[in-house]
Amino acid sequence: MNPDILISTTGFILTLIIALWRMNASQIKRTDQLSRSLRGDISGLRSEVRNDISGLRSEVRNDMSEFRSEVRNDMSELHKGQKKLIDSTAKLDSRISRLEGMLQPRPWVEAPTGDMPPVSATQG
């Protein structure tokens, strides 16, 4: 074999190996850059999700607090209404009892009925 051909072939093979190695190194570098970029993006998204969840929790807490306050106010108004109803019912019962009492026959006012002795017989 001719030494010039051997040297040229060896040079070509070495050049090819170096070119492939550089391409591979370039791909590795790009892959590493993409990986770092993706990690940064994922980290940013995680941070956004955490902030969103925290915000939602705060909103839910505030909404629940407002709801509880509204329920307490409504219950207070309901209790006031119940008390007024009970008081009004008691007043009405009292008035009904007084009216019923007025409608009852009173023996000292009613005219005597039946066989009662004359007044002169009872006095005396």
Side-chain angles (χ1 to χ4, degrees), residues 84-105:
K84 285 181 181 178
L85 181 62
I86 290 169
D87 290 345
S88 296
T89 303
K91 286 179 185 177
L92 183 61
D93 283 345
S94 173
R95 287 179 182 168
I96 290 172
S97 294
R98 194 171 61 221
L99 286 173
E100 285 175 340
M102 291 171 75
L103 295 175
Q104 293 294 323

mmCIF file with all atom_site columns, all heavy atoms in Angstrom, residues 84-105:
data_model
loop_
_atom_site.group_PDB
_atom_site.id
_atom_site.type_symbol
_atom_site.label_atom_id
_atom_site.label_alt_id
_atom_site.label_comp_id
_atom_site.label_asym_id
_atom_site.label_entity_id
_atom_site.label_seq_id
_atom_site.pdbx_PDB_ins_code
_atom_site.Cartn_x
_atom_site.Cartn_y
_atom_site.Cartn_z
_atom_site.occupancy
_atom_site.B_iso_or_equiv
_atom_site.pdbx_formal_charge
_atom_site.auth_seq_id
_atom_site.auth_comp_id
_atom_site.auth_asym_id
_atom_site.auth_atom_id
_atom_site.pdbx_PDB_model_num
ATOM 1   N N   . LYS A 1 84  ? -89.264  37.941 68.838 1.00 0.00 ? 84  LYS A N   1
ATOM 2   C CA  . LYS A 1 84  ? -90.437  38.797 68.600 1.00 0.00 ? 84  LYS A CA  1
ATOM 3   C C   . LYS A 1 84  ? -91.695  37.959 68.424 1.00 0.00 ? 84  LYS A C   1
ATOM 4   O O   . LYS A 1 84  ? -92.759  38.302 68.940 1.00 0.00 ? 84  LYS A O   1
ATOM 5   C CB  . LYS A 1 84  ? -90.210  39.652 67.349 1.00 0.00 ? 84  LYS A CB  1
ATOM 6   C CG  . LYS A 1 84  ? -89.257  40.796 67.557 1.00 0.00 ? 84  LYS A CG  1
ATOM 7   C CD  . LYS A 1 84  ? -89.099  41.610 66.277 1.00 0.00 ? 84  LYS A CD  1
ATOM 8   C CE  . LYS A 1 84  ? -88.119  42.750 66.458 1.00 0.00 ? 84  LYS A CE  1
ATOM 9   N NZ  . LYS A 1 84  ? -87.929  43.514 65.220 1.00 0.00 ? 84  LYS A NZ  1
ATOM 10  N N   . LEU A 1 85  ? -91.563  36.847 67.688 1.00 0.00 ? 85  LEU A N   1
ATOM 11  C CA  . LEU A 1 85  ? -92.709  35.965 67.479 1.00 0.00 ? 85  LEU A CA  1
ATOM 12  C C   . LEU A 1 85  ? -93.190  35.376 68.798 1.00 0.00 ? 85  LEU A C   1
ATOM 13  O O   . LEU A 1 85  ? -94.394  35.336 69.078 1.00 0.00 ? 85  LEU A O   1
ATOM 14  C CB  . LEU A 1 85  ? -92.355  34.859 66.487 1.00 0.00 ? 85  LEU A CB  1
ATOM 15  C CG  . LEU A 1 85  ? -93.446  33.865 66.146 1.00 0.00 ? 85  LEU A CG  1
ATOM 16  C CD1 . LEU A 1 85  ? -94.620  34.585 65.484 1.00 0.00 ? 85  LEU A CD1 1
ATOM 17  C CD2 . LEU A 1 85  ? -92.918  32.774 65.241 1.00 0.00 ? 85  LEU A CD2 1
ATOM 18  N N   . ILE A 1 86  ? -92.252  34.938 69.618 1.00 0.00 ? 86  ILE A N   1
ATOM 19  C CA  . ILE A 1 86  ? -92.617  34.367 70.927 1.00 0.00 ? 86  ILE A CA  1
ATOM 20  C C   . ILE A 1 86  ? -93.281  35.427 71.793 1.00 0.00 ? 86  ILE A C   1
ATOM 21  O O   . ILE A 1 86  ? -94.311  35.170 72.433 1.00 0.00 ? 86  ILE A O   1
ATOM 22  C CB  . ILE A 1 86  ? -91.373  33.766 71.612 1.00 0.00 ? 86  ILE A CB  1
ATOM 23  C CG1 . ILE A 1 86  ? -90.928  32.493 70.863 1.00 0.00 ? 86  ILE A CG1 1
ATOM 24  C CG2 . ILE A 1 86  ? -91.632  33.470 73.082 1.00 0.00 ? 86  ILE A CG2 1
ATOM 25  C CD1 . ILE A 1 86  ? -89.568  31.961 71.292 1.00 0.00 ? 86  ILE A CD1 1
ATOM 26  N N   . ASP A 1 87  ? -92.710  36.636 71.815 1.00 0.00 ? 87  ASP A N   1
ATOM 27  C CA  . ASP A 1 87  ? -93.302  37.719 72.613 1.00 0.00 ? 87  ASP A CA  1
ATOM 28  C C   . ASP A 1 87  ? -94.705  38.065 72.098 1.00 0.00 ? 87  ASP A C   1
ATOM 29  O O   . ASP A 1 87  ? -95.643  38.241 72.895 1.00 0.00 ? 87  ASP A O   1
ATOM 30  C CB  . ASP A 1 87  ? -92.411  38.968 72.575 1.00 0.00 ? 87  ASP A CB  1
ATOM 31  C CG  . ASP A 1 87  ? -91.107  38.780 73.332 1.00 0.00 ? 87  ASP A CG  1
ATOM 32  O OD1 . ASP A 1 87  ? -91.006  37.818 74.121 1.00 0.00 ? 87  ASP A OD1 1
ATOM 33  O OD2 . ASP A 1 87  ? -90.191  39.613 73.141 1.00 0.00 ? 87  ASP A OD2 1
ATOM 34  N N   . SER A 1 88  ? -94.848  38.157 70.775 1.00 0.00 ? 88  SER A N   1
ATOM 35  C CA  . SER A 1 88  ? -96.164  38.471 70.197 1.00 0.00 ? 88  SER A CA  1
ATOM 36  C C   . SER A 1 88  ? -97.169  37.374 70.503 1.00 0.00 ? 88  SER A C   1
ATOM 37  O O   . SER A 1 88  ? -98.337  37.651 70.813 1.00 0.00 ? 88  SER A O   1
ATOM 38  C CB  . SER A 1 88  ? -96.049  38.656 68.681 1.00 0.00 ? 88  SER A CB  1
ATOM 39  O OG  . SER A 1 88  ? -95.238  39.755 68.378 1.00 0.00 ? 88  SER A OG  1
ATOM 40  N N   . THR A 1 89  ? -96.729  36.118 70.426 1.00 0.00 ? 89  THR A N   1
ATOM 41  C CA  . THR A 1 89  ? -97.616  34.993 70.735 1.00 0.00 ? 89  THR A CA  1
ATOM 42  C C   . THR A 1 89  ? -98.041  35.043 72.196 1.00 0.00 ? 89  THR A C   1
ATOM 43  O O   . THR A 1 89  ? -99.214  34.808 72.523 1.00 0.00 ? 89  THR A O   1
ATOM 44  C CB  . THR A 1 89  ? -96.913  33.659 70.417 1.00 0.00 ? 89  THR A CB  1
ATOM 45  O OG1 . THR A 1 89  ? -96.511  33.665 69.055 1.00 0.00 ? 89  THR A OG1 1
ATOM 46  C CG2 . THR A 1 89  ? -97.816  32.473 70.667 1.00 0.00 ? 89  THR A CG2 1
ATOM 47  N N   . ALA A 1 90  ? -97.116  35.374 73.087 1.00 0.00 ? 90  ALA A N   1
ATOM 48  C CA  . ALA A 1 90  ? -97.444  35.465 74.519 1.00 0.00 ? 90  ALA A CA  1
ATOM 49  C C   . ALA A 1 90  ? -98.446  36.588 74.758 1.00 0.00 ? 90  ALA A C   1
ATOM 50  O O   . ALA A 1 90  ? -99.421  36.425 75.524 1.00 0.00 ? 90  ALA A O   1
ATOM 51  C CB  . ALA A 1 90  ? -96.178  35.697 75.338 1.00 0.00 ? 90  ALA A CB  1
ATOM 52  N N   . LYS A 1 91  ? -98.249  37.742 74.098 1.00 0.00 ? 91  LYS A N   1
ATOM 53  C CA  . LYS A 1 91  ? -99.201  38.855 74.243 1.00 0.00 ? 91  LYS A CA  1
ATOM 54  C C   . LYS A 1 91  ? -100.578 38.456 73.723 1.00 0.00 ? 91  LYS A C   1
ATOM 55  O O   . LYS A 1 91  ? -101.601 38.765 74.331 1.00 0.00 ? 91  LYS A O   1
ATOM 56  C CB  . LYS A 1 91  ? -98.696  40.086 73.495 1.00 0.00 ? 91  LYS A CB  1
ATOM 57  C CG  . LYS A 1 91  ? -97.556  40.791 74.179 1.00 0.00 ? 91  LYS A CG  1
ATOM 58  C CD  . LYS A 1 91  ? -97.093  41.987 73.354 1.00 0.00 ? 91  LYS A CD  1
ATOM 59  C CE  . LYS A 1 91  ? -95.871  42.643 73.964 1.00 0.00 ? 91  LYS A CE  1
ATOM 60  N NZ  . LYS A 1 91  ? -95.381  43.750 73.114 1.00 0.00 ? 91  LYS A NZ  1
ATOM 61  N N   . LEU A 1 92  ? -100.573 37.767 72.568 1.00 0.00 ? 92  LEU A N   1
ATOM 62  C CA  . LEU A 1 92  ? -101.842 37.329 71.990 1.00 0.00 ? 92  LEU A CA  1
ATOM 63  C C   . LEU A 1 92  ? -102.539 36.340 72.917 1.00 0.00 ? 92  LEU A C   1
ATOM 64  O O   . LEU A 1 92  ? -103.754 36.439 73.140 1.00 0.00 ? 92  LEU A O   1
ATOM 65  C CB  . LEU A 1 92  ? -101.596 36.705 70.614 1.00 0.00 ? 92  LEU A CB  1
ATOM 66  C CG  . LEU A 1 92  ? -102.821 36.259 69.839 1.00 0.00 ? 92  LEU A CG  1
ATOM 67  C CD1 . LEU A 1 92  ? -103.743 37.450 69.564 1.00 0.00 ? 92  LEU A CD1 1
ATOM 68  C CD2 . LEU A 1 92  ? -102.399 35.598 68.534 1.00 0.00 ? 92  LEU A CD2 1
ATOM 69  N N   . ASP A 1 93  ? -101.795 35.388 73.464 1.00 0.00 ? 93  ASP A N   1
ATOM 70  C CA  . ASP A 1 93  ? -102.380 34.432 74.421 1.00 0.00 ? 93  ASP A CA  1
ATOM 71  C C   . ASP A 1 93  ? -102.961 35.162 75.625 1.00 0.00 ? 93  ASP A C   1
ATOM 72  O O   . ASP A 1 93  ? -104.049 34.817 76.111 1.00 0.00 ? 93  ASP A O   1
ATOM 73  C CB  . ASP A 1 93  ? -101.320 33.423 74.886 1.00 0.00 ? 93  ASP A CB  1
ATOM 74  C CG  . ASP A 1 93  ? -101.029 32.359 73.849 1.00 0.00 ? 93  ASP A CG  1
ATOM 75  O OD1 . ASP A 1 93  ? -101.827 32.221 72.894 1.00 0.00 ? 93  ASP A OD1 1
ATOM 76  O OD2 . ASP A 1 93  ? -99.994  31.664 73.986 1.00 0.00 ? 93  ASP A OD2 1
ATOM 77  N N   . SER A 1 94  ? -102.244 36.176 76.097 1.00 0.00 ? 94  SER A N   1
ATOM 78  C CA  . SER A 1 94  ? -102.730 36.943 77.249 1.00 0.00 ? 94  SER A CA  1
ATOM 79  C C   . SER A 1 94  ? -104.019 37.663 76.909 1.00 0.00 ? 94  SER A C   1
ATOM 80  O O   . SER A 1 94  ? -104.984 37.659 77.697 1.00 0.00 ? 94  SER A O   1
ATOM 81  C CB  . SER A 1 94  ? -101.651 37.947 77.663 1.00 0.00 ? 94  SER A CB  1
ATOM 82  O OG  . SER A 1 94  ? -102.133 38.805 78.654 1.00 0.00 ? 94  SER A OG  1
ATOM 83  N N   . ARG A 1 95  ? -104.083 38.274 75.738 1.00 0.00 ? 95  ARG A N   1
ATOM 84  C CA  . ARG A 1 95  ? -105.301 38.982 75.326 1.00 0.00 ? 95  ARG A CA  1
ATOM 85  C C   . ARG A 1 95  ? -106.466 38.010 75.149 1.00 0.00 ? 95  ARG A C   1
ATOM 86  O O   . ARG A 1 95  ? -107.606 38.301 75.537 1.00 0.00 ? 95  ARG A O   1
ATOM 87  C CB  . ARG A 1 95  ? -105.058 39.732 74.016 1.00 0.00 ? 95  ARG A CB  1
ATOM 88  C CG  . ARG A 1 95  ? -104.196 40.948 74.202 1.00 0.00 ? 95  ARG A CG  1
ATOM 89  C CD  . ARG A 1 95  ? -103.969 41.651 72.884 1.00 0.00 ? 95  ARG A CD  1
ATOM 90  N NE  . ARG A 1 95  ? -103.104 42.801 73.074 1.00 0.00 ? 95  ARG A NE  1
ATOM 91  C CZ  . ARG A 1 95  ? -102.559 43.466 72.088 1.00 0.00 ? 95  ARG A CZ  1
ATOM 92  N NH1 . ARG A 1 95  ? -102.800 43.105 70.827 1.00 0.00 ? 95  ARG A NH1 1
ATOM 93  N NH2 . ARG A 1 95  ? -101.790 44.499 72.322 1.00 0.00 ? 95  ARG A NH2 1
ATOM 94  N N   . ILE A 1 96  ? -106.176 36.857 74.554 1.00 0.00 ? 96  ILE A N   1
ATOM 95  C CA  . ILE A 1 96  ? -107.226 35.842 74.367 1.00 0.00 ? 96  ILE A CA  1
ATOM 96  C C   . ILE A 1 96  ? -107.747 35.384 75.718 1.00 0.00 ? 96  ILE A C   1
ATOM 97  O O   . ILE A 1 96  ? -108.959 35.255 75.928 1.00 0.00 ? 96  ILE A O   1
ATOM 98  C CB  . ILE A 1 96  ? -106.717 34.664 73.517 1.00 0.00 ? 96  ILE A CB  1
ATOM 99  C CG1 . ILE A 1 96  ? -106.525 35.113 72.064 1.00 0.00 ? 96  ILE A CG1 1
ATOM 100 C CG2 . ILE A 1 96  ? -107.668 33.477 73.587 1.00 0.00 ? 96  ILE A CG2 1
ATOM 101 C CD1 . ILE A 1 96  ? -105.843 34.091 71.180 1.00 0.00 ? 96  ILE A CD1 1
ATOM 102 N N   . SER A 1 97  ? -106.824 35.132 76.663 1.00 0.00 ? 97  SER A N   1
ATOM 103 C CA  . SER A 1 97  ? -107.252 34.702 78.001 1.00 0.00 ? 97  SER A CA  1
ATOM 104 C C   . SER A 1 97  ? -108.106 35.772 78.658 1.00 0.00 ? 97  SER A C   1
ATOM 105 O O   . SER A 1 97  ? -109.124 35.477 79.307 1.00 0.00 ? 97  SER A O   1
ATOM 106 C CB  . SER A 1 97  ? -106.038 34.419 78.889 1.00 0.00 ? 97  SER A CB  1
ATOM 107 O OG  . SER A 1 97  ? -105.345 33.311 78.389 1.00 0.00 ? 97  SER A OG  1
ATOM 108 N N   . ARG A 1 98  ? -107.708 37.040 78.512 1.00 0.00 ? 98  ARG A N   1
ATOM 109 C CA  . ARG A 1 98  ? -108.484 38.125 79.107 1.00 0.00 ? 98  ARG A CA  1
ATOM 110 C C   . ARG A 1 98  ? -109.874 38.206 78.463 1.00 0.00 ? 98  ARG A C   1
ATOM 111 O O   . ARG A 1 98  ? -110.883 38.353 79.147 1.00 0.00 ? 98  ARG A O   1
ATOM 112 C CB  . ARG A 1 98  ? -107.728 39.443 78.936 1.00 0.00 ? 98  ARG A CB  1
ATOM 113 C CG  . ARG A 1 98  ? -108.294 40.542 79.803 1.00 0.00 ? 98  ARG A CG  1
ATOM 114 C CD  . ARG A 1 98  ? -107.444 41.787 79.821 1.00 0.00 ? 98  ARG A CD  1
ATOM 115 N NE  . ARG A 1 98  ? -107.339 42.333 78.470 1.00 0.00 ? 98  ARG A NE  1
ATOM 116 C CZ  . ARG A 1 98  ? -106.223 42.819 77.948 1.00 0.00 ? 98  ARG A CZ  1
ATOM 117 N NH1 . ARG A 1 98  ? -105.122 42.818 78.658 1.00 0.00 ? 98  ARG A NH1 1
ATOM 118 N NH2 . ARG A 1 98  ? -106.207 43.299 76.723 1.00 0.00 ? 98  ARG A NH2 1
ATOM 119 N N   . LEU A 1 99  ? -109.923 38.047 77.117 1.00 0.00 ? 99  LEU A N   1
ATOM 120 C CA  . LEU A 1 99  ? -111.215 38.064 76.436 1.00 0.00 ? 99  LEU A CA  1
ATOM 121 C C   . LEU A 1 99  ? -112.076 36.875 76.849 1.00 0.00 ? 99  LEU A C   1
ATOM 122 O O   . LEU A 1 99  ? -113.292 37.010 77.059 1.00 0.00 ? 99  LEU A O   1
ATOM 123 C CB  . LEU A 1 99  ? -111.024 38.064 74.916 1.00 0.00 ? 99  LEU A CB  1
ATOM 124 C CG  . LEU A 1 99  ? -110.560 39.378 74.303 1.00 0.00 ? 99  LEU A CG  1
ATOM 125 C CD1 . LEU A 1 99  ? -110.240 39.168 72.819 1.00 0.00 ? 99  LEU A CD1 1
ATOM 126 C CD2 . LEU A 1 99  ? -111.634 40.444 74.457 1.00 0.00 ? 99  LEU A CD2 1
ATOM 127 N N   . GLU A 1 100 ? -111.457 35.706 76.973 1.00 0.00 ? 100 GLU A N   1
ATOM 128 C CA  . GLU A 1 100 ? -112.213 34.530 77.411 1.00 0.00 ? 100 GLU A CA  1
ATOM 129 C C   . GLU A 1 100 ? -112.759 34.761 78.815 1.00 0.00 ? 100 GLU A C   1
ATOM 130 O O   . GLU A 1 100 ? -113.887 34.379 79.146 1.00 0.00 ? 100 GLU A O   1
ATOM 131 C CB  . GLU A 1 100 ? -111.337 33.277 77.379 1.00 0.00 ? 100 GLU A CB  1
ATOM 132 C CG  . GLU A 1 100 ? -111.088 32.748 75.994 1.00 0.00 ? 100 GLU A CG  1
ATOM 133 C CD  . GLU A 1 100 ? -110.124 31.568 75.983 1.00 0.00 ? 100 GLU A CD  1
ATOM 134 O OE1 . GLU A 1 100 ? -109.363 31.386 76.964 1.00 0.00 ? 100 GLU A OE1 1
ATOM 135 O OE2 . GLU A 1 100 ? -110.105 30.844 74.977 1.00 0.00 ? 100 GLU A OE2 1
ATOM 136 N N   . GLY A 1 101 ? -111.926 35.383 79.654 1.00 0.00 ? 101 GLY A N   1
ATOM 137 C CA  . GLY A 1 101 ? -112.367 35.686 81.018 1.00 0.00 ? 101 GLY A CA  1
ATOM 138 C C   . GLY A 1 101 ? -113.546 36.650 81.022 1.00 0.00 ? 101 GLY A C   1
ATOM 139 O O   . GLY A 1 101 ? -114.459 36.551 81.851 1.00 0.00 ? 101 GLY A O   1
ATOM 140 N N   . MET A 1 102 ? -113.523 37.592 80.090 1.00 0.00 ? 102 MET A N   1
ATOM 141 C CA  . MET A 1 102 ? -114.625 38.545 80.007 1.00 0.00 ? 102 MET A CA  1
ATOM 142 C C   . MET A 1 102 ? -115.898 37.869 79.519 1.00 0.00 ? 102 MET A C   1
ATOM 143 O O   . MET A 1 102 ? -117.011 38.310 79.843 1.00 0.00 ? 102 MET A O   1
ATOM 144 C CB  . MET A 1 102 ? -114.254 39.697 79.058 1.00 0.00 ? 102 MET A CB  1
ATOM 145 C CG  . MET A 1 102 ? -113.159 40.587 79.614 1.00 0.00 ? 102 MET A CG  1
ATOM 146 S SD  . MET A 1 102 ? -112.552 41.761 78.397 1.00 0.00 ? 102 MET A SD  1
ATOM 147 C CE  . MET A 1 102 ? -113.883 42.939 78.347 1.00 0.00 ? 102 MET A CE  1
ATOM 148 N N   . LEU A 1 103 ? -115.768 36.819 78.729 1.00 0.00 ? 103 LEU A N   1
ATOM 149 C CA  . LEU A 1 103 ? -116.938 36.133 78.194 1.00 0.00 ? 103 LEU A CA  1
ATOM 150 C C   . LEU A 1 103 ? -117.528 35.111 79.158 1.00 0.00 ? 103 LEU A C   1
ATOM 151 O O   . LEU A 1 103 ? -118.631 34.632 78.947 1.00 0.00 ? 103 LEU A O   1
ATOM 152 C CB  . LEU A 1 103 ? -116.574 35.447 76.869 1.00 0.00 ? 103 LEU A CB  1
ATOM 153 C CG  . LEU A 1 103 ? -116.198 36.386 75.725 1.00 0.00 ? 103 LEU A CG  1
ATOM 154 C CD1 . LEU A 1 103 ? -115.735 35.579 74.520 1.00 0.00 ? 103 LEU A CD1 1
ATOM 155 C CD2 . LEU A 1 103 ? -117.391 37.258 75.330 1.00 0.00 ? 103 LEU A CD2 1
ATOM 156 N N   . GLN A 1 104 ? -116.806 34.749 80.210 1.00 0.00 ? 104 GLN A N   1
ATOM 157 C CA  . GLN A 1 104 ? -117.303 33.774 81.177 1.00 0.00 ? 104 GLN A CA  1
ATOM 158 C C   . GLN A 1 104 ? -118.458 34.394 81.978 1.00 0.00 ? 104 GLN A C   1
ATOM 159 O O   . GLN A 1 104 ? -118.412 35.565 82.335 1.00 0.00 ? 104 GLN A O   1
ATOM 160 C CB  . GLN A 1 104 ? -116.185 33.352 82.141 1.00 0.00 ? 104 GLN A CB  1
ATOM 161 C CG  . GLN A 1 104 ? -115.067 32.568 81.499 1.00 0.00 ? 104 GLN A CG  1
ATOM 162 C CD  . GLN A 1 104 ? -115.536 31.220 80.997 1.00 0.00 ? 104 GLN A CD  1
ATOM 163 O OE1 . GLN A 1 104 ? -116.372 30.573 81.621 1.00 0.00 ? 104 GLN A OE1 1
ATOM 164 N NE2 . GLN A 1 104 ? -115.021 30.830 79.843 1.00 0.00 ? 104 GLN A NE2 1
ATOM 165 N N   . PRO A 1 105 ? -119.470 33.578 82.242 1.00 0.00 ? 105 PRO A N   1
ATOM 166 C CA  . PRO A 1 105 ? -120.583 34.116 83.040 1.00 0.00 ? 105 PRO A CA  1
ATOM 167 C C   . PRO A 1 105 ? -120.108 34.403 84.456 1.00 0.00 ? 105 PRO A C   1
ATOM 168 O O   . PRO A 1 105 ? -119.353 33.634 85.042 1.00 0.00 ? 105 PRO A O   1
ATOM 169 C CB  . PRO A 1 105 ? -121.625 33.008 83.005 1.00 0.00 ? 105 PRO A CB  1
ATOM 170 C CG  . PRO A 1 105 ? -120.895 31.773 82.621 1.00 0.00 ? 105 PRO A CG  1
ATOM 171 C CD  . PRO A 1 105 ? -119.687 32.212 81.855 1.00 0.00 ? 105 PRO A CD  1
#
